Amino acid sequence: MFRKKQASHFDSDDAEQRQAKIKELRAALGPLSGRGEKYCDEACLIRYLEARNWNVDKSRKMLEESLKWRAAKRPEDICWPDVSVEAETGKMYRSTFTDREGRTVVVLRPAKQNTSSHEGQLQYLIYTLENAVLSLPESQDKMVWLIDFTGWTLAHATPFKTARDSMNVLQNHYPERLSIAFLFNPPKVFEASFKALKVLVDPKSVKKLNFVYKENMESMKTMYKHIDPEVLPVEFGGNNNVVYNHEDYSKLMTKDDIKMTSFWAADGNHAVNGHSVPEVQSRSSQIVAKAS
């Protein structure tokens, strides 16, 4: 009788098999140009493949959706004046310190929420993610999140729609960008909210979440393994006296807006699978013009 053919087993640790999958995904995407081509470098293809367990068809669909989303939202063209009001209290910012591997650390302080705008909050999240990615060293493509729950109560709970849409952005358009996350001093009442929101989070991401408590040295050691206490701010259990200053952060982001524009400046048209989307002058381009 005929013997059933065995399905080939993919080994993600096999460099030759990985390269074959990467090549297959690039071919499946078809021709890209402009920003689409720049976005889809090899590291990007690997992230989308990893997010879909190296299934090329699923990875292609996911990446194509991200390319359409980026063509519509133009996240790289969001600039500081568009979102600065969202940052006035320091509820979310890219820290000036990094983890021990040089990764960008994004600090979130949900008790510092200062607006009720769903779109404004999403736009600022996207801006911060783009900025964090821009700030990563060439050897790294993942970031660290430090979520400070000091002062948080149920009154600060994020509306479900905003939480859902935020998770959609994070998981579908910034896959495999999280290295590890620290939930600092979460109150017991947060556990109920977390259980409700947990269903929105990819199981792989859930494993990257670490609960740490300032009064529990054993839990703090987990964070110290990744972030040197000498650079970690005092408010998060470290020895660094630095605190968030909105004026200083505004100056930093204005400079980073110029870097962002420079990174994308060489591209003329934003194309997704060969369908060109005409460029328009962005506000960040105007910033460069004023600075020159």
Side-chain angles (χ1 to χ4, degrees), residues 204-272:
K204 289 171 64 176
S205 296
V206 171
K207 293 180 180 179
K208 298 176 182 179
L209 304 180
N210 293 267
F211 287 74
V212 295
Y213 303 88
K214 196 172 184 178
E215 303 304 319
N216 185 323
M217 185 49 63
E218 284 303 311
S219 69
M220 289 299 295
K221 286 179 180 178
T222 301
M223 185 156 64
Y224 294 157
K225 287 179 182 178
H226 296 269
I227 304 175
D228 188 337
E230 293 304 311
V231 303
L232 187 67
V234 171
E235 60 186 323
F236 306 135
N239 302 321
N240 190 347
N241 288 315
V242 67
V243 294
Y244 178 80
N245 180 287
H246 186 63
E247 183 178 349
D248 291 343
Y249 193 66
S250 294
K251 293 176 182 178
L252 178 63
M253 292 301 100
T254 300
K255 291 180 180 179
D256 282 357
D257 282 354
I258 296 173
K259 293 179 184 178
M260 183 71 73
T261 299
S262 177
F263 179 79
W264 295 103
D267 305 305
N269 289 325
H270 191 173
V272 179

Side-chain angles (χ1 to χ4, degrees), residues 2 24 57 70 100 106 108 154 182 217 224 249:
F2 295 107
E24 185 180 348
D57 187 52
R70 294 186 70 87
R100 293 182 184 273
V106 175
L108 299 94
L154 283 176
F182 299 102
M217 185 49 63
Y224 294 157
Y249 193 66

Side-chain angles (χ1 to χ4, degrees), residues 124-140:
Y124 184 46
L125 170 65
I126 294 167
Y127 175 85
T128 303
L129 291 171
E130 290 289 312
N131 181 270
V133 169
L134 179 72
S135 302
L136 286 167
E138 289 187 12
S139 60
Q140 301 291 348

Side-chain angles (χ1 to χ4, degrees), residues 25-26 29 32 36 39-41 44-46 48-49 52 56-70 172-173 175 272-273:
L25 175 56
R26 189 173 293 285
L29 286 171
L32 298 169
Y39 180 72
C40 294
D41 60 11
C44 172
L45 300 185
I46 291 173
Y48 280 81
L49 283 164
R52 291 296 178 263
V56 173
D57 187 52
K58 291 181 180 179
S59 301
R60 174 188 59 79
K61 291 177 181 177
M62 184 185 191
L63 184 46
E64 285 178 345
E65 286 302 311
S66 285
L67 289 171
K68 292 176 184 176
W69 177 82
R70 294 186 70 87
N172 294 331
H173 304 308
V272 179
N273 287 350

